[in-house]
Amino acid sequence: MHCSRIRTAVSARLDGEEPPPGITAQQVATHLDTCAACRQWEARARALTEHIARLRDADTDPGAEAPDQPPQAY
């Protein structure tokens, strides 16, 4: 399976969406077990998703402090 299709499925999962047609959760898990680049991509995408959620929470709570910057991923 191509990394781009797995990354699309991972992105959908992080957004709470259904995976693209023809991709199962098992296929994603198997690919992530064997592909370091996609595991790293997933970790960065997850960190970004969590950072955005914290920003949204801070934006709706006037007393909340802004979250720290996410780690730089190069």
Side-chain angles (χ1 to χ4, degrees), residues 1 3-7 15 18 31 33 35-36 39 43-44 46-47 50-51 53 55 58 67 71-72:
M1 178 130 333
C3 292
S4 62
R5 293 198 27 92
I6 295 299
R7 292 175 185 188
D15 292 342
E18 292 293 320
H31 184 87
D33 285 343
C35 183
R39 281 194 309 274
R44 290 192 315 253
R46 185 177 307 282
E50 291 169 357
H51 185 71
L55 286 173
Q72 295 292 323

Side-chain angles (χ1 to χ4, degrees), residues 18-62:
E18 292 293 320
I23 299 180
T24 66
Q26 182 60 44
Q27 288 172 314
V28 173
T30 299
H31 184 87
L32 291 175
D33 285 343
T34 61
C35 183
C38 284
R39 281 194 309 274
Q40 184 179 29
W41 188 92
E42 179 191 33
R44 290 192 315 253
R46 185 177 307 282
L48 179 60
T49 299
E50 291 169 357
H51 185 71
I52 290 169
R54 287 191 303 271
L55 286 173
R56 284 188 187 129
D57 291 345
D59 189 42
T60 59
D61 181 0

